[in-house]
């Protein structure tokens, strides 16, 4: 029996029904709710339940006087409390109307499962059965919405009195929660489990059903624009297989109302000022699974701008002059967005001149006869405003000065809206406070005074990070760092970082003071140790070559020149140790066959190459640097608009062993294309290095290998690491079964397969790299997953290095016996042994070296990439197609990088 039928009194007959002690059922709670409406309670008092009261005759006529009132069946409630709920009193006349009123009063309390009243010759007896106490609430079948999301939304709770009205309300509320998720087929069946001591468990059995999708969007009445064009303006999308990531394909009534506004905005921007949505109806499909939405629209006629004027009531502005500079012109198609932009620009212009409370109101005059829209922008009179006070509130850790020094408008200054916007941007860029912080503007003590308030909410600025990942560049990576970006609340940054991978290891301690001695001068210092293992490629594998260990430090000082431009000077001192594995690349014979004192006396060019042997040694680099930076980016993490330009120069030669002059330049520009979410960016960078000291030796470049530029992955997508630019390819002599393979002229042949060739990139003095990229916005579901795809094009080159001395003839090692009994290694180009009979199948090492890639000719690649904030950490993958390359370049189709934090 449903609990809607367990009313204690039957609402459909004159009998009183007893509540069963076994598990009851509510049935369809919402249908039961309608049965309760409008039923007179007098009908419920005709007959008591068998266990609680005996049937009594209809109350005596009004001449019966109430001599006593007794309450039977009360357990938790005191009888006097129950009597206080009704208006029957001793001494009154007992009438049917009075009994009905008493029954209504008892029912209104919702405290009783059964209740009745009878009159025994003036002795009134009230029989009650109290509603049970709720022991617990149980939810079953809810997989899509957790308990902690449902329980706070319902009225019933443990230790409360059970009432049917609360059950009905809770059923409706749970169904509403599922409707918000687009599950309109969800049903809720409440059940009651009776327990001893008049307690019950309430169980909500939930059938969630499938998510209701939008199967079709129909538009009726559109003639100027197609259905597809209008659907593209809506947030709600039709359910299709390729939108499996999108959450906008589910039906949402709020989104339906929003889409009507989107349609109106679209038509208003296209000049249809009379457009209106006549109706928007969402209907369930016959299978009760999805929705079909139908819009009926009236487009109206298209308007043009008529007369466009500015009526300025501010003395500093001439209306006619302002009208000539507006972005809208008479004769253009009417565009409501242009009107809004003009209001905003005029308000901002007034704010620049100190009118903080300038009011710009557009006045429209529609001319249906010639379909024109006259607009007058009215700049209402307002006083010029000055900053009375700057208040900083909410900072518990950061010192006031850390915030106040970012203000670009001071107390006593004329109000300037640009100064306020720039202040907001600078405080946001600190990263110490809540996102979307804004400087509030409050009226001051007089109409021409304003108070600026910085109401901040502190955020944690300490970072302790451990990360692990796998990179296509350095394979397995481990990193750890600790950093405090607001040390002691002074805005200072202190950090320690450690990194380890297959080819590099580093440790760095850094400190930055953004305002040295409370002046607008930044200063910082770094101390570091970096060990790098360079590598070449052979047989498709990376092989370690030279090792570079750098110990050093850097100090820098920055001074702002303008709001967006700064200059930074630096000094760096590095001690570099460049070495080769003596067990692999060294020998006890030099090229003249002279034996040394130990097996590791001479760098063996046959193993390492002359270009590597020339780089060995320890050297000290003393470097002065200067850079000029211009930055208007709206974010340092993921910019969507703005510009960055950086020019830098480095002079190495203030002492030390290295002499060069290096120049670098970089420029970036970001656009949010038509505020559509498509982010287009273009960047260009380049550099050159001039040696200031000549190094001795044929084929020895004046710039050390470790100081040159390198280009490839990850800067240049579509090429492997150091895959672009000058390189030396070592090709071995081809053999078969240990026997040389000779050509028709009797000369040895060489292996040219790239995977079997040793590939050493040697860098260059000049490079350039240009990139163009378009980031494509996805639906809400994909954005929530952190997916950001893009298409891109890269163009670049690396060139100019002294060509090393090459082994360009086949080289063989012949062991020759000396008169003193020793054996020397002698290089020869003759593959035949001295006895003229036996080939040096065992004792020769034959190869040739070729120099390639030294060209400024542009290399071009294009592809698609995806950034994903995955559960494992930031992930980037690029698929590239090489459009143009130069001989020797090492291209690559797939590049990825992934890491995580724990």
């Amino acid at each position: 029996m449903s609990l809607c039928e367990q009313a204690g009194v039957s609402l459909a007959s004159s009998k009183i029904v007893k509540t069963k002690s076994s598990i009851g059922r509510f049935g369809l709670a919402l249908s039961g709710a309608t049965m309760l409406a409008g039923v007179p309670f007098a009908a419920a008092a005709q007959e008591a339940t068998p266990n609680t009261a005996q049937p009594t005759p209809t109350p005596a006529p009004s001449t019966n006087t109430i001599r006593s009132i007794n309450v039977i069946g009360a357990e938790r409630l005191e009888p006097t409390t129950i009597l206080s709920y009704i208006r029957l009193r001793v001494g009154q006349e007992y009438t049917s109307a009075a009994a009905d009123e008493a029954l209504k009063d008892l029912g209104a309390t919702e405290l009783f499962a059964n209740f009745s009243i009878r009159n025994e010759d003036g002795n009134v007896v009230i029989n009650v059965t109290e509603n049970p106490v709720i022991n617990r609430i149980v939810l079953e079948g809810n997989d899509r919405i957790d308990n902690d999301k449902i329980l706070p939304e319902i009225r019933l709770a443990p230790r409360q009195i059970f009432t049917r009205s609360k059950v009905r309300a809770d059923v409706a509320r749970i169904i509403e929660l599922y409707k918000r998720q687009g599950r309109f087929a969800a049903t809720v069946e409440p059940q009651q489990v009776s327990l001893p001591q008049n307690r019950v468990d309430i169980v909500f059995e939930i059938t969630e059903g499938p998510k209701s999708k939008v199967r079709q969007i129909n538009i009726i009445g559109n003639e100027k624009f197609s259905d597809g064009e209008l659907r593209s303006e809506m947030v709600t999308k039709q359910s299709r297989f390729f939108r499996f990531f999108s959450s906008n394909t589910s039906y949402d009534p709020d989104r339906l109302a929003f889409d009507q506004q989107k349609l109106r905005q679209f038509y208003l921007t296209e000049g249809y000022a009379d457009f209106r949505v006549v109706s928007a109806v969402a209907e369930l499909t016959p299978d009760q699974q999805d929705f079909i939405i139908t819009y009926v629209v009236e487009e109206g006629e298209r308007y043009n701008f008529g007369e466009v004027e500015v009526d300025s009531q501010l003395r500093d502005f001439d209306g006619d002059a302002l009208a000539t500079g507006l972005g809208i012109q008479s004769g253009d198609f009417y565009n409501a967005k242009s009107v809004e932009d003009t209001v905003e620009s005029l308000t901002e212009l007034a704010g620049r001149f100190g009118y903080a409370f300038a009011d710009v109101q557009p006045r429209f005059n529609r001319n249906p006869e010639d379909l024109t829209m006259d607009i007058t922008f009215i700049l209402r009179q307002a006083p010029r405003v000055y900053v009375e006070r700057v208040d900083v509130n909410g900072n518990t850790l950061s010192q006031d000065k850390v915030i106040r020094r970012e203000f670009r408008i001071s107390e006593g200054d004329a109000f300037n809206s640009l100064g306020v916007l720039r202040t907001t941007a600078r405080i946001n860029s600190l990263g110490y406070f809540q996102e979307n912080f804004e400087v509030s503007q409050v009226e001051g003590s007089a109409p021409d005074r304003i108070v600026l308030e910085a109401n901040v909410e502190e955020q944690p600025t300490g970072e302790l990070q451990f990360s692990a990942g796998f990179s296509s560049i350095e394979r397995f990576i481990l990193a750890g760092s600790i950093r405090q970006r607001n040390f002691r609340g002074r805005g200072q940054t202190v950090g320690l970082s450690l990194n380890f991978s297959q080819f590099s290891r580093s440790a760095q301690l850094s400190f930055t003071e953004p305002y040295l001695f409370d002046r607008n001068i930044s200063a910082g210092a770094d101390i570091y140790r970096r060990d790098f293992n360079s590598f070449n490629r052979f047989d498709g594998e990376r092989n370690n070559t030279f090792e570079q260990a750098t110990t050093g430090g850097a100090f820098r000082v920055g001074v702002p020149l303008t709001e967006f431009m700064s200059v930074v000077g630096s000094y760096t001192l590095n001690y570099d140790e460049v070495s080769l594995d003596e067990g692999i690349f060294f020998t006890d014979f030099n090229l003249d066959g002279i034996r040394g004192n130990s097996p590791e006396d001479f760098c063996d060019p046959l193993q390492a190459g002359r270009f590597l042997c020339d780089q060995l040694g320890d050297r000290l680099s003393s470097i002065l640097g200067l850079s000029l930076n211009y930055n208007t980016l709206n974010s340092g993490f993921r910019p969507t608009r703005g510009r960055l330009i950086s020019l830098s120069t480095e002079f190495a030669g203030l002492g030390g062993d290295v002499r060069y002059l290096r120049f670098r330049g970089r420029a970036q520009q970001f656009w949010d294309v038509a505020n559509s979410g498509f982010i287009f960016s273009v960047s260009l960078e380049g550099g050159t290095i001039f040696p200031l000291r000549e190094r001795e030796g044929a084929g020895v470049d004046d710039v050390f290998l470790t100081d040159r530029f390198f280009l490839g992955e990850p800067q240049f997508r579509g090429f492997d690491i150091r895959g672009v630019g000058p390189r030396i390819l070592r090709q071995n002599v081809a053999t078969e079964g240990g026997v040389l393979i000779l050509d028709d002229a009797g000369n040895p042949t060489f292996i040219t397969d790239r995977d079997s060739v040793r590939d050493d990139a040697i860098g260059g003095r000049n490079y350039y790299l240009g990139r163009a990229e378009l980031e494509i916005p996805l639906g809400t579901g994909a954005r929530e997953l952190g997916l950001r795809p893009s298409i891109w094009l890269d163009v670049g080159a690396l060139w100019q290095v002294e060509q090393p001395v090459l082994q360009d003839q086949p080289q063989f090692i012949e062991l020759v016996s000396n008169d003193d009994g020793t054996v020397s290694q002698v290089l020869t180009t003759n593959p035949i042994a001295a006895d003229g009979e036996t080939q040096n199948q065992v004792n020769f090492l034959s190869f040739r070296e070729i120099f390639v890639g030294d060209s400024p000719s542009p290399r071009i690649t294009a592809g698609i990439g995806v950034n994903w904030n995955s559960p494992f950490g930031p992930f980037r993958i690029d698929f590239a197609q090489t459009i143009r390359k130069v001989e020797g370049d090492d291209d690559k189709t797939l590049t990825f990088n992934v890491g995580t934090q724990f």
Side-chain angles (χ1 to χ4, degrees):
M1 179 182 296
S2 73
L3 284 182
C4 287
E5 296 169 355
Q6 296 177 19
V9 291
S10 175
L11 302 183
S13 69
S14 60
K15 292 185 179 181
I16 299 178
V17 183
K18 176 184 176 181
T19 303
K20 291 185 178 180
S21 60
S22 60
I23 296 178
R25 295 179 58 84
F26 285 94
L28 191 58
L30 294 182
S31 298
T34 58
M35 292 174 60
L36 296 175
V39 179
F41 277 81
Q46 301 299 318
E47 184 176 343
T49 61
N51 290 346
T52 57
Q54 297 297 323
T56 60
T58 303
S62 60
T63 56
N64 276 348
T65 300
I66 299 175
R67 293 181 294 176
S68 66
I69 303 176
N70 297 316
V71 177
I72 299 176
E75 296 179 3
R76 294 186 307 272
L77 298 173
E78 293 292 334
T80 54
T81 302
I82 297 175
L83 292 176
S84 68
Y85 295 143
I86 63 177
R87 283 168 280 185
L88 290 180
R89 296 293 182 267
V90 175
Q92 288 181 347
E93 289 186 359
Y94 181 84
T95 64
S96 296
D100 284 347
E101 288 296 329
L103 288 173
K104 289 181 180 179
D105 293 338
L106 290 174
T109 64
E110 296 190 335
L111 297 175
F112 309 105
N114 296 320
F115 48 90
S116 65
I117 297 177
R118 70 177 183 271
N119 180 20
E120 298 176 349
D121 297 329
N123 297 317
V124 177
V125 179
I126 300 176
N127 239 325
V128 297
T129 300
E130 295 177 351
N131 270 333
V133 174
I134 298 173
N135 178 57
R136 61 175 180 158
I137 305 294
V138 179
L139 302 175
E140 294 181 354
N142 55 313
D143 296 327
R144 300 295 180 177
I145 304 180
D146 295 334
N147 289 4
D148 57 0
K149 297 293 192 302
I150 297 178
L151 292 177
E153 297 290 335
I154 62 179
R155 298 173 59 189
L156 291 178
R159 295 182 295 277
Q160 286 187 355
I161 302 299
F162 165 80
T163 65
R164 297 185 310 279
S165 62
K166 290 182 180 179
V167 172
R168 291 192 296 270
D170 288 347
V171 168
R173 180 57 180 162
I174 294 173
I175 290 176
E176 180 63 28
L177 292 177
Y178 276 95
K179 285 183 177 180
R180 289 187 179 182
Q181 285 202 348
R183 299 182 183 275
F184 285 80
T187 60
V188 179
E189 183 75 15
Q191 296 191 23
Q192 171 184 317
V193 180
S194 297
L195 302 174
Q197 300 177 353
N198 200 24
R199 294 177 301 124
V200 292
D201 286 344
I202 304 300
V203 181
F204 291 101
E205 291 186 351
I206 301 172
T207 302
E208 295 179 318
K211 199 168 188 177
S212 301
K213 300 289 186 179
V214 176
R215 185 177 298 180
Q216 185 71 32
I217 298 178
N218 300 319
I219 305 174
I220 300 173
N222 54 311
E223 298 178 356
K224 307 299 182 182
F225 300 97
S226 67
D227 289 4
E229 289 178 286
L230 298 183
R231 290 193 195 107
S232 66
E233 297 296 322
M234 301 177 187
V235 177
T236 303
K237 302 299 181 184
Q238 296 179 133
S239 177
R240 298 294 183 266
F241 73 93
F242 53 84
R243 294 196 177 109
F244 59 92
F245 276 130
S246 177
S247 63
N248 291 337
T249 57
S250 60
Y251 173 70
D252 186 340
D254 295 334
R255 197 183 295 139
L256 181 67
F258 182 70
D259 284 338
Q260 295 179 58
Q261 294 299 320
K262 292 283 288 182
L263 284 175
R264 177 166 175 76
Q265 290 175 7
F266 172 73
Y267 270 93
L268 288 177
T269 58
E270 295 293 332
Y272 295 89
D274 296 329
F275 172 82
R276 70 188 186 98
V277 178
V278 178
S279 66
V281 179
E283 298 175 305
L284 275 170
T285 55
D287 58 8
Q288 301 294 303
Q289 297 294 319
D290 297 328
F291 278 87
I292 296 176
I293 300 176
T294 303
Y295 293 93
V296 179
V297 301
E298 287 184 3
E299 293 179 319
E301 298 294 336
R302 195 174 194 181
Y303 283 73
N304 295 78
F305 283 114
E307 295 183 4
V308 181
E309 299 176 343
V310 177
D311 179 7
S312 175
Q313 300 174 5
L314 300 177
R315 61 181 182 180
D316 296 323
F317 296 93
D318 179 68
D320 294 336
L322 289 176
T324 59
L326 296 181
I328 54 179
Q329 302 294 330
S330 178
D332 294 343
F333 285 122
Y334 173 75
N335 188 327
K337 182 65 168 56
S338 298
V339 176
E340 293 178 4
D341 292 343
T342 301
V343 170
E344 184 176 342
S345 64
L346 289 174
T347 303
E348 183 177 316
L349 179 63
R352 293 183 190 181
F353 287 85
Y355 296 97
F357 306 111
D359 183 20
V360 181
Q361 294 290 336
R363 185 175 62 201
F364 300 90
N365 182 24
R366 186 176 309 187
N367 303 308
E369 299 82 11
D370 56 2
L371 297 178
T372 59
M373 183 79 72
D374 300 335
I375 300 180
T376 301
F377 295 95
I378 303 175
L379 276 70
R380 301 190 184 279
Q381 182 65 44
R384 178 168 293 191
V385 178
Y386 297 86
V387 178
E388 178 180 359
R389 192 173 67 253
V390 174
D391 292 339
V392 177
N393 306 313
N395 52 314
T396 56
L397 173 65
S398 302
Q399 298 182 6
D400 270 18
K401 67 178 183 180
V402 173
I403 304 171
R404 290 182 179 275
R405 66 195 182 193
E406 302 300 333
F407 270 79
R408 289 303 175 258
I409 185 169
S410 303
E411 296 173 350
D413 291 348
F415 176 82
N416 188 311
S417 59
L418 286 182
V420 174
L421 291 175
R422 183 58 183 163
T423 298
T424 299
R426 289 183 65 92
I427 295 178
N428 270 321
S429 66
L430 293 176
Y432 305 159
F433 312 110
Q434 75 272 23
E435 295 183 5
N436 302 321
F437 162 83
E438 290 186 1
V439 175
S440 303
Q441 303 170 26
V442 181
E443 294 184 2
S445 59
D448 62 345
R449 295 290 184 266
I450 193 172
V451 175
L452 301 181
E453 291 185 350
N455 299 310
V456 301
E457 297 177 11
E458 298 270 11
Q459 288 186 336
T461 54
E463 300 174 2
L464 177 62
Q465 177 175 301
F466 296 96
S467 58
F470 186 85
S471 168
S472 60
I473 302 174
E474 297 192 81
R475 307 296 171 87
F476 193 71
I477 302 170
L478 289 174
S481 66
I482 182 171
R483 185 172 67 150
Q484 173 54 256
R485 294 182 290 108
N486 190 13
F487 186 60
R488 298 188 301 167
R490 297 174 176 268
Q492 301 164 340
T493 300
V494 179
L496 171 65
S497 63
L498 301 170
N499 294 275
F500 176 84
S501 71
Q502 182 178 355
F503 297 103
S504 64
R505 294 169 296 278
S506 67
Q508 178 168 320
L509 177 65
S510 60
F511 173 80
T512 301
E513 168 58 75
Y515 281 80
L516 188 63
F517 307 123
D518 291 330
R519 297 183 178 275
N520 199 4
I521 300 173
S522 63
D526 303 303
I527 301 175
Y528 47 82
R529 166 75 181 205
R530 299 167 184 157
D531 293 342
F532 174 74
N533 292 336
S534 185
F535 56 86
N536 59 28
R537 297 180 180 277
F538 182 64
D539 285 339
E541 299 292 334
R542 292 187 173 100
N543 302 285
N544 288 353
T545 53
F546 71 87
E547 297 179 0
Q548 179 183 358
T550 302
T551 305
F555 177 76
R556 57 193 176 277
V557 177
V559 179
L561 301 179
T562 67
E563 181 62 27
F564 302 102
M565 185 178 296
S566 63
V567 61
V568 179
S570 63
Y571 175 73
T572 304
L573 185 66
N574 289 334
Y575 180 69
D576 293 307
E577 302 170 85
V578 182
S579 60
L580 289 168
D581 189 333
E582 295 181 352
I584 299 177
F585 299 106
F586 276 61
T587 181
D588 56 348
F589 291 94
N590 64 12
L591 293 179
D592 297 325
I594 300 175
R595 179 189 294 274
N597 296 324
S598 69
E600 293 84 20
D601 275 352
F602 303 107
C603 177
D604 187 356
L606 299 179
Q607 295 290 341
R610 289 179 182 271
F611 63 92
L612 284 182
C613 293
D614 292 336
Q615 307 302 319
L616 301 183
D618 300 342
R619 44 187 171 267
L620 185 69
S621 301
S622 178
I623 307 169
L624 285 175
L626 185 68
S627 63
L628 182 66
N629 303 309
Y630 177 80
N631 189 345
T632 63
L633 298 181
N634 64 336
S635 171
F637 173 67
R638 187 190 166 201
T640 58
R641 61 180 180 274
R643 180 178 303 163
L644 172 66
I645 300 175
S646 177
L647 302 173
S648 64
T649 180
E650 294 175 334
F651 168 69
L654 191 66
D657 307 313
V658 180
R659 301 284 188 275
Y660 64 76
L661 189 62
R662 189 199 313 261
F663 296 96
R664 287 181 181 175
R666 181 188 178 198
Q668 283 184 293
Q669 179 72 51
F670 292 83
W671 296 271
D672 187 348
V673 182
N675 294 319
S676 61
F678 286 86
I679 308 301
F680 182 65
S681 62
V682 175
S683 66
L684 179 64
E685 62 177 286
T688 185
I689 183 170
F690 298 98
L692 301 179
R693 171 183 290 177
E694 295 184 0
R695 299 174 62 207
E696 298 180 356
V700 177
D701 196 275
D702 294 330
V703 178
F704 283 104
L705 175 69
T706 54
D707 294 324
R708 300 171 197 160
F709 297 113
F710 290 89
L711 193 60
E713 184 189 355
Q715 312 102 307
F716 201 160
R717 294 164 293 191
F719 290 98
D720 212 331
I721 183 172
R722 300 187 174 188
V724 176
R727 60 210 322 103
I728 294 176
L729 304 179
R730 177 176 287 197
Q731 301 173 343
N732 289 331
V733 171
T735 62
E736 184 175 355
V739 179
L740 291 174
I741 300 176
L742 305 178
D743 60 16
D744 295 338
N747 298 317
T749 59
F750 297 91
I751 300 174
T752 58
D753 180 17
R754 193 59 183 269
D755 289 337
S756 301
V757 172
R758 201 177 91 175
D759 181 351
D760 287 285
I762 61 175
R765 296 189 189 180
N766 307 301
Y767 86 98
Y768 65 84
L769 177 63
R771 309 176 72 173
E773 187 163 3
L774 179 65
E775 184 178 308
I776 303 171
L778 296 179
T780 304
R783 287 199 302 270
E784 291 173 355
L785 290 174
L787 290 173
R788 292 185 289 114
S790 62
I791 57 176
W792 50 264
L793 176 74
D794 288 358
V795 179
L798 173 72
W799 76 99
Q800 192 178 358
V801 69
E802 185 75 21
Q803 178 172 328
V805 175
L806 303 175
Q807 303 290 348
D808 55 0
Q809 294 294 326
Q811 299 292 311
F812 301 90
I813 296 178
E814 184 175 359
L815 302 181
V816 179
S817 298
N818 300 317
D819 295 337
D820 58 1
T822 61
V823 178
S824 298
Q825 295 182 5
V826 178
L827 294 179
T828 178
T829 60
N830 185 5
I832 308 302
D835 58 13
E837 297 179 358
T838 306
Q839 288 183 331
N840 292 323
Q841 298 176 12
V842 177
N843 295 326
F844 73 82
L845 293 174
S846 60
F847 61 87
R848 71 175 178 185
E849 294 175 335
I850 59 175
F851 178 66
V852 293
D854 189 9
S855 169
S857 180
R859 285 76 156 173
I860 305 174
T861 60
I864 59 175
V866 178
N867 277 309
W868 178 30
N869 294 330
S870 73
F872 310 101
F875 180 88
R876 170 80 190 194
I877 185 169
D878 287 287
F879 296 91
Q881 176 63 48
T882 303
I883 299 175
R884 190 177 190 279
K885 65 178 182 178
V886 172
E887 180 187 2
D889 290 342
D890 192 5
D891 57 355
K892 189 174 184 179
T893 302
L894 176 65
T895 303
F896 70 91
N897 192 14
V898 65
T900 189
Q901 295 184 358
F902 55 88

